[in-house]
Amino acid sequence: MRSYQPDLTPPWKRSAPVPEVPADRDLVVEEVATGFCGAVIRCEAGTVTLEDRFGKHRVFPLEPRGFLLEGKVVTLVRPSAAPARPTRTASGSVAVPGARARVARAGRIYVEGRHDAELVERVWGDDLRIEGVVVEYLEGVDDLPSIVAEFGPGPDARLGVLVDHLVPGSKESRIAAQVTSPDVLVVGHPYIDVWEAVKPSSLGIPAWPTVPRGQDWKTGVCRALGWPENTGAAWQHILSRVTSYKDLEPELLGRVEELIDFVTAP
């Protein structure tokens, strides 16, 4: 039978217990060792990711007594499986708990491909359902003028189109210029592919690699980053790292918001 061993540490040297605080999203804390202060954006097994006011991300272990909350030492713990109801959607809009999806409008938003549609759904899905806006993908914009004509846009059925690589002198810009209806808004971002609209910092890479002309861009990206040359799997990895508008570049954010405003205008 084990004998009782008393704690002979003097009372003034004993560590006082500190509260355990769930690392809920948007909780602002300071990491004790480095002084890095930021809001919780992600908490996974054993680690927490903080974002400071400049948008910089740092990952820290969930060590006991590892953080300061309002100047007091705390131990951050992983939140329970039932987190508090979010007050914001992934796009940053005010969440409307229990809101039903609106009946789909006659207006639409067209995007170039499936990846574009999945990214828009990831960030703006809640907003689009409340507004009754349907997003469809085109598999390219080569036939955009005829697609617009077939849609038959009007004041009560506005059409918004998001185009990849819409820069002066590009093929995409020449095609977009052929669409002149006042009930159609064609906007775009400067990236070769919508993958690039995801911030490199959200993926843990320093920058998107430069792919030589004549080489398939997505395959070239996988090679340069040392990823398996499976673009479908690569995209799922990229998409999994997008949790809110903060993970996207402003050049895409502004254009999607512009399209939503256009097709929902009275």
Side-chain angles (χ1 to χ4, degrees):
M1 183 174 180
R2 179 180 295 180
S3 61
Y4 170 70
Q5 296 293 328
D7 184 359
L8 301 179
T9 305
W12 59 88
K13 289 188 177 182
R14 295 176 189 172
S15 297
V18 300
E20 292 187 347
V21 177
D24 292 326
R25 190 175 181 86
D26 296 329
L27 179 73
V28 177
V29 295
E30 178 182 339
E31 202 274 332
V32 170
T34 63
F36 186 90
C37 184
V40 174
I41 62 169
R42 189 177 300 112
C43 185
E44 299 170 324
T47 65
V48 62
T49 303
L50 304 183
E51 180 183 64
D52 70 8
R53 60 192 182 95
F54 302 107
K56 183 178 181 181
H57 292 187
R58 290 281 298 274
V59 180
F60 298 101
L62 291 174
E63 297 286 356
R65 308 173 65 89
F67 298 87
L68 296 176
L69 176 61
E70 298 179 350
K72 297 181 180 180
V73 177
V74 299
T75 295
L76 287 188
V77 295
R78 196 172 183 183
S80 63
R85 188 186 298 274
T87 58
R88 296 278 175 177
T89 67
S91 72
S93 301
V94 176
V96 184
R100 289 188 175 184
R102 177 174 174 168
V103 174
R105 294 173 182 266
R108 291 286 188 275
I109 291 177
Y110 286 167
V111 298
E112 281 207 48
R114 181 171 59 84
H115 293 179
D116 305 66
E118 289 177 344
L119 189 59
V120 169
E121 164 62 27
R122 184 84 165 192
V123 176
W124 288 274
D126 290 340
D127 307 56
L128 293 168
R129 280 182 283 279
I130 289 175
E131 294 290 350
V133 177
V134 175
V135 175
E136 301 178 7
Y137 63 90
L138 304 172
E139 292 293 359
V141 293
D142 289 352
D143 299 321
L144 183 60
S146 61
I147 291 172
V148 170
E150 182 179 352
F151 178 81
D156 296 325
R158 291 183 168 188
L159 180 61
V161 183
L162 179 69
V163 178
D164 295 343
H165 199 228
L166 190 62
V167 296
S170 67
K171 176 192 75 173
E172 291 83 0
S173 67
R174 292 190 293 272
I175 293 172
Q178 299 175 42
V179 179
T180 58
S181 169
D183 299 308
V184 180
L185 176 65
V186 181
V187 299
H189 56 74
Y191 306 114
I192 294 173
D193 190 274
V194 78
W195 287 20
E196 281 191 289
V198 179
K199 290 180 178 178
S201 58
S202 296
L203 297 170
I205 60 176
W208 285 102
T210 300
V211 178
R213 291 179 64 86
Q215 189 178 134
D216 178 72
W217 188 83
K218 292 176 181 176
T219 302
V221 165
C222 292
R223 288 173 183 164
L225 294 176
W227 295 350
E229 292 182 25
N230 181 332
T231 57
W235 169 244
Q236 290 306 313
H237 168 68
I238 295 166
L239 188 62
S240 72
R241 307 303 293 177
V242 176
T243 59
S244 79
Y245 71 97
K246 296 179 181 180
D247 296 308
L248 302 182
E249 299 288 1
E251 289 82 356
L252 176 67
L253 291 172
R255 302 296 73 77
V256 176
E257 296 285 353
E258 192 176 352
L259 290 176
I260 295 174
D261 289 345
F262 180 78
V263 300
T264 59

